[in-house]
Amino acid sequence: MLLPQVGEAGQRRLLETALHVHGDAGVATVAERYLSRAGLRVGEGSESVRVASSEDVARVAGDPALEPAARALLGALAAVEAIRTTLSLPGRASEEFVLSSEAV
């Protein structure tokens, strides 16, 4: 079992899910790594996960030197949200909060 916290039924649901990730390549790469480690099939599905765009990354980073860190954070957040959606878990991080200038 890859994620004992989600239980057997949740893990089965994750293993049955296939997603296609699109958006900024760096953000998508991070998200895909997390999703595949959780057991989801990445790049195969008709379901789509949109991750932050390059413009979003630049806005969150605020400085080009911080863009790699912003990509990592946004990719991880996208993966968590995709897992939450797959498992039908309550709550959702507000994209506006994550991508707004007030949040940075």
Side-chain angles (χ1 to χ4, degrees):
M1 182 170 296
L2 298 172
L3 295 172
Q5 306 88 320
V6 302
E8 193 172 321
Q11 188 68 63
R12 205 173 14 257
R13 198 171 316 148
L14 291 173
L15 291 169
E16 293 169 354
T17 301
L19 300 171
H20 175 71
V21 181
H22 61 93
D24 177 83
V27 177
T29 298
V30 172
E32 289 170 349
R33 286 181 186 153
Y34 278 102
L35 292 168
S36 62
R37 288 178 182 158
L40 288 89
R41 294 186 319 273
V42 178
E44 304 176 20
S46 59
E47 288 188 55
S48 185
V49 173
R50 183 187 72 81
V51 299
S53 68
S54 298
E55 294 80 20
D56 294 330
V57 170
R59 189 170 60 248
V60 169
D63 182 305
L66 296 175
E67 288 183 9
R71 282 187 172 90
L73 290 170
L74 292 169
L77 177 66
V80 167
E81 291 303 325
I83 292 168
R84 283 174 155 282
T85 300
T86 299
L87 297 174
S88 302
L89 295 174
R92 179 166 166 76
S94 169
E95 195 169 309
E96 292 77 26
F97 174 75
V98 173
L99 300 179
S100 73
S101 58
E102 292 84 30
V104 181

